[in-house]
Every structure is written in C-alpha cells, then in structure tokens.
Amino acid sequence: MTTTIAGPMIDTAALTYTVDEVARLLNISRGAAYQHVRDGVIPAERLGRSWRIPRKRFHAWLDGREVA
C-alpha cells in the first residue's frame, strides 16, 4: 500500500521509513522529526550515517503500545 502526503509516495508496506517520510506522515518539519529521532522520542535505528524508523515500532509508538 502507498500513501501520498504532500510529496512523493510513501510505501507504507516497507519495513522501514526514512526520517523525511515520518515527518510527512506526522505533518511536522524535517528538523523536528530529526530532533525527535535523536532524542529517542520517535523509535529509530542508526544505520551508518542515516536513520531508519522500523514501521512496526513506529506504528506501535503512534498507538501508544510497545513492540517486542
């Protein structure tokens, strides 16, 4: 499934999201999304120099529940 939110398509079936995709999904600025990722507010993993947000953990975080 893909979703269009003010920009390029977001593949919501992908295993991970980029910070830019999460910013568009949450309707926040790119800078705010990076700050939340760095602060640990948004669950993310650092891969080299980039951040990836696991889709299942992100949606669980949005729903207010934990994922094992």
Side-chain angles (χ1 to χ4, degrees), residues 22-29:
V22 166
R24 287 197 313 273
L25 287 169
L26 296 175
N27 198 28
I28 61 175
S29 72

Side-chain angles (χ1 to χ4, degrees), residues 2-68:
T2 57
T3 304
T4 302
I5 299 177
M9 299 288 274
I10 297 173
D11 183 2
T12 54
L15 294 176
T16 63
Y17 294 128
T18 65
V19 176
D20 288 340
E21 289 171 332
V22 166
R24 287 197 313 273
L25 287 169
L26 296 175
N27 198 28
I28 61 175
S29 72
R30 183 176 188 258
Y34 270 102
Q35 189 64 51
H36 290 318
V37 164
R38 284 191 298 269
D39 292 345
V41 175
I42 295 173
E45 301 293 329
R46 184 93 185 209
L47 295 174
R49 295 182 59 192
S50 64
W51 289 97
R52 292 291 181 253
I53 297 90
R55 182 180 59 84
K56 285 185 179 184
R57 285 182 51 207
F58 175 72
H59 288 284
W61 170 77
L62 279 179
D63 292 338
R65 56 187 165 82
E66 295 290 321
V67 173

